[in-house]
Amino acid sequence: MHHASIRTANIHQAIAFYELLDFTVKERFTTGYTLACWMEGLGGRIELIQIPEPKPAPDAFGDEHYVGYYHLSFDLSDRISDLALWLTALKTKLSELSQKDPSQFSPLTILLEPQQQMIGHTVYEVAFIADCDGLPLEFLRILKQ
């Protein structure tokens, strides 16, 4: 896959948020009349597109009847040793940043605390957070294959 595209209300806030997740901007450009960029990190590429006059996104995580793209998922198995500690550090960092600059950062919204999930014969540790536009992101680690 080349990239996943994310529409955002504020591209500058979105870039700052995804940079905290170790993404880096690789290309800035415009699409018609709006700002956009490609960011790479965590083994993939995302495209951020700023939307003029944005409307809130549907609640893909909380609405059990929602149909459509659900979330992006990032495998942290080879990057971290404890998902709960990683999530706590991210939450602390965003809390500090939101106190210093509330126009750029918001406290982290955790949609699902880390928990174990068995898929096939593999045991995963999974957690969900919301990005700066409220879109769900999954982070997982393989615990046992």
Side-chain angles (χ1 to χ4, degrees):
M1 179 168 46
H2 188 267
H3 70 272
S5 186
I6 302 169
R7 292 174 153 197
T8 181
N10 183 317
I11 197 165
H12 303 291
Q13 286 178 347
I15 289 170
F17 177 84
Y18 283 96
E19 284 177 336
L20 289 173
L21 299 176
D22 291 331
F23 279 81
T24 56
V25 174
K26 293 300 181 183
E27 189 77 37
R28 293 177 191 264
F29 54 98
T30 58
T31 60
Y33 57 90
T34 192
L35 301 174
C37 72
W38 281 339
M39 298 187 80
E40 293 179 0
L42 299 179
R45 180 188 297 176
I46 59 174
E47 175 186 43
L48 299 176
I49 301 173
Q50 182 164 302
I51 301 302
E53 301 179 37
K55 298 178 197 171
D59 184 1
F61 191 80
D63 181 355
E64 63 186 40
H65 303 287
Y66 168 79
V67 174
Y69 292 105
Y70 179 33
H71 64 270
L72 299 178
S73 181
F74 302 101
D75 185 354
L76 301 178
S77 299
D78 62 352
R79 299 172 190 271
I80 64 168
S81 60
D82 188 303
L83 188 58
L85 287 175
W86 177 84
L87 192 58
T88 298
L90 181 61
K91 184 176 183 177
T92 300
K93 182 70 172 171
L94 273 165
S95 178
E96 292 169 357
L97 290 169
S98 68
Q99 289 175 4
K100 290 179 186 174
D101 189 358
S103 66
Q104 185 74 354
F105 296 98
S106 299
L108 182 65
T109 300
I110 298 174
L111 301 172
L112 179 70
E113 294 284 348
Q115 60 183 254
Q116 290 187 14
Q117 181 177 5
M118 186 154 195
I119 301 173
H121 297 292
T122 305
V123 179
Y124 293 90
E125 182 179 33
V126 301
F128 279 82
I129 66 171
D131 77 356
C132 55
D133 290 294
L135 303 173
L137 302 174
E138 178 184 40
F139 295 91
L140 58 85
R141 264 185 356 106
I142 296 173
L143 297 178
K144 182 180 174 187
Q145 288 184 310

